[in-house]
Amino acid sequence: MSIQIVMMLPSDAASVSLARHTLAEALRLAAVAPDCVHEAQVALSEACTNVFHHVAPGQNFEVLINIGDLELTMHILDSGPGFPRSHRLAGWPEDTAESGRGLALMTAFTDHASFESDGGGSVRLKKRLRWNAEAVLPTG
Protein backbone atom coordinates (compact mmCIF):
# COMPACT_ATOMS: atom_id res chain seq x y z
CA MET A 1 0.00 0.00 0.00
CA SER A 2 1.13 3.52 -0.70
CA ILE A 3 -0.58 6.69 0.48
CA GLN A 4 0.76 10.12 -0.44
CA ILE A 5 -0.56 13.38 0.96
CA VAL A 6 0.53 16.91 0.04
CA MET A 7 -0.81 19.88 2.00
CA MET A 8 -0.09 23.59 1.56
CA LEU A 9 -1.20 25.15 4.84
CA PRO A 10 -1.40 28.65 6.32
CA SER A 11 0.82 29.25 9.34
CA ASP A 12 -1.84 29.17 12.05
CA ALA A 13 -2.76 26.87 14.92
CA ALA A 14 -5.60 25.16 13.04
CA SER A 15 -3.11 23.92 10.44
CA VAL A 16 -1.23 21.95 13.10
CA SER A 17 -4.42 20.16 14.07
CA LEU A 18 -5.40 19.54 10.43
CA ALA A 19 -2.00 18.01 9.61
CA ARG A 20 -2.04 15.84 12.75
CA HIS A 21 -5.57 14.52 12.16
CA THR A 22 -4.99 13.93 8.44
CA LEU A 23 -1.90 11.87 9.24
CA ALA A 24 -3.72 9.86 11.90
CA GLU A 25 -6.62 8.98 9.61
CA ALA A 26 -4.30 7.94 6.79
CA LEU A 27 -2.25 5.74 9.14
CA ARG A 28 -5.41 4.16 10.55
CA LEU A 29 -6.58 3.46 7.00
CA ALA A 30 -3.26 1.70 6.39
CA ALA A 31 -3.80 -0.42 9.58
CA VAL A 32 -0.83 1.03 11.47
CA ALA A 33 -0.65 0.17 15.19
CA PRO A 34 -2.28 2.82 17.43
CA ASP A 35 0.91 3.52 19.42
CA CYS A 36 2.83 4.07 16.18
CA VAL A 37 0.08 6.44 14.97
CA HIS A 38 0.36 8.44 18.20
CA GLU A 39 4.16 8.70 17.99
CA ALA A 40 3.96 9.91 14.37
CA GLN A 41 1.29 12.46 15.33
CA VAL A 42 3.49 13.89 18.09
CA ALA A 43 6.48 14.22 15.76
CA LEU A 44 4.44 15.91 13.00
CA SER A 45 2.67 18.20 15.49
CA GLU A 46 6.01 19.39 16.84
CA ALA A 47 7.36 20.07 13.35
CA CYS A 48 4.25 22.02 12.33
CA THR A 49 4.20 23.91 15.64
CA ASN A 50 7.78 25.05 15.02
CA VAL A 51 6.67 26.47 11.67
CA PHE A 52 3.69 28.17 13.30
CA HIS A 53 5.96 29.85 15.87
CA HIS A 54 8.85 30.80 13.60
CA VAL A 55 7.53 31.69 10.15
CA ALA A 56 6.21 35.15 9.30
CA PRO A 57 2.43 35.68 9.57
CA GLY A 58 0.65 35.08 6.30
CA GLN A 59 3.25 32.63 4.98
CA ASN A 60 2.26 29.11 4.02
CA PHE A 61 4.11 25.90 4.72
CA GLU A 62 4.10 22.53 3.03
CA VAL A 63 3.57 19.08 4.56
CA LEU A 64 4.43 16.02 2.46
CA ILE A 65 3.46 12.62 3.85
CA ASN A 66 4.32 9.27 2.26
CA ILE A 67 3.07 6.06 3.85
CA GLY A 68 4.81 3.07 2.32
CA ASP A 69 4.81 -0.65 3.05
CA LEU A 70 7.52 -0.34 5.70
CA GLU A 71 8.12 3.32 6.43
CA LEU A 72 6.45 6.67 6.94
CA THR A 73 8.23 9.76 5.67
CA MET A 74 7.17 13.31 6.50
CA HIS A 75 8.76 16.43 5.05
CA ILE A 76 7.79 19.84 6.40
CA LEU A 77 8.99 22.88 4.41
CA ASP A 78 8.66 26.58 5.10
CA SER A 79 10.14 29.87 3.95
CA GLY A 80 10.98 31.06 7.48
CA PRO A 81 14.43 31.85 8.83
CA GLY A 82 15.24 28.19 9.53
CA PHE A 83 17.22 26.93 12.49
CA PRO A 84 19.98 29.08 13.98
CA ARG A 85 23.42 27.62 13.24
CA SER A 86 24.16 27.54 16.97
CA HIS A 87 20.96 25.60 17.79
CA ARG A 88 21.59 22.38 19.65
CA LEU A 89 19.61 19.59 17.97
CA ALA A 90 20.26 16.82 20.48
CA GLY A 91 19.21 16.38 24.07
CA TRP A 92 16.44 17.72 26.24
CA PRO A 93 16.19 21.33 27.39
CA GLU A 94 16.58 22.29 31.01
CA ASP A 95 13.71 21.23 33.28
CA THR A 96 12.72 24.87 33.82
CA ALA A 97 12.69 25.75 30.09
CA GLU A 98 9.32 26.85 28.74
CA SER A 99 10.12 25.79 25.18
CA GLY A 100 12.67 23.83 23.22
CA ARG A 101 11.31 20.30 23.50
CA GLY A 102 10.05 20.05 19.91
CA LEU A 103 13.28 18.94 18.25
CA ALA A 104 13.95 16.41 21.00
CA LEU A 105 10.41 14.99 20.67
CA MET A 106 10.71 14.73 16.89
CA THR A 107 13.97 12.84 17.32
CA ALA A 108 12.58 10.60 20.09
CA PHE A 109 9.44 9.56 18.20
CA THR A 110 11.01 8.85 14.80
CA ASP A 111 13.83 6.65 13.55
CA HIS A 112 15.50 9.49 11.67
CA ALA A 113 15.09 13.25 11.90
CA SER A 114 17.03 15.82 9.90
CA PHE A 115 16.80 19.59 10.10
CA GLU A 116 18.06 21.94 7.39
CA SER A 117 18.13 25.71 7.09
CA ASP A 118 19.01 26.77 3.60
CA GLY A 119 16.63 29.43 2.32
CA GLY A 120 13.91 28.30 4.73
CA GLY A 121 13.29 25.50 7.16
CA SER A 122 13.15 21.84 6.24
CA VAL A 123 12.35 18.97 8.58
CA ARG A 124 12.53 15.38 7.32
CA LEU A 125 11.18 12.64 9.55
CA LYS A 126 11.27 8.90 8.91
CA LYS A 127 9.57 6.23 10.99
CA ARG A 128 9.41 2.46 10.58
CA LEU A 129 5.78 1.43 10.71
CA ARG A 130 4.34 -1.10 13.12
CA TRP A 131 1.10 -2.75 12.08
CA ASN A 132 -2.11 -3.26 13.97
CA ALA A 133 -2.10 -7.00 14.74
CA GLU A 134 -5.92 -7.12 14.75
CA ALA A 135 -6.30 -5.64 11.27
CA VAL A 136 -6.39 -7.67 8.11
CA LEU A 137 -3.73 -6.19 5.85
CA PRO A 138 -4.61 -5.74 2.18
CA THR A 139 -2.72 -7.87 -0.31
CA GLY A 140 -1.44 -6.84 -3.66
Side-chain angles (χ1 to χ4, degrees):
M1 172 182 281
S2 178
I3 298 174
Q4 295 180 338
I5 301 166
V6 177
M7 294 182 276
M8 181 67 76
L9 301 169
S11 59
D12 60 43
S15 294
V16 177
S17 179
L18 176 62
R20 181 178 63 247
H21 290 296
T22 301
L23 172 66
E25 289 305 313
L27 290 172
R28 287 184 191 110
L29 179 66
V32 172
D35 62 328
C36 189
V37 172
H38 178 70
E39 292 166 1
Q41 281 185 285
V42 170
L44 181 61
S45 289
E46 292 299 330
C48 292
T49 298
N50 277 348
V51 170
F52 170 64
H53 286 298
H54 298 293
V55 77
Q59 299 222 340
N60 293 337
F61 68 101
E62 204 171 341
V63 176
L64 309 164
I65 298 169
N66 186 12
I67 302 168
D69 290 332
L70 302 174
E71 186 176 67
L72 163 67
T73 59
M74 299 177 283
H75 191 182
I76 300 85
L77 301 155
D78 68 69
S79 58
F83 299 96
R85 297 266 182 229
S86 63
H87 199 76
R88 203 175 96 186
L89 296 179
W92 289 93
E94 296 294 324
D95 289 342
T96 57
E98 293 190 22
S99 64
R101 290 177 176 77
L103 299 179
L105 286 168
M106 285 182 257
T107 302
F109 285 117
T110 60
D111 297 301
H112 177 77
S114 64
F115 309 95
E116 298 174 13
S117 296
D118 193 18
S122 171
V123 175
R124 291 180 189 266
L125 306 170
K126 292 184 179 184
K127 181 167 187 59
R128 284 186 300 274
L129 295 173
R130 297 183 305 276
W131 305 105
N132 188 347
E134 298 171 5
V136 176
L137 296 177
T139 58

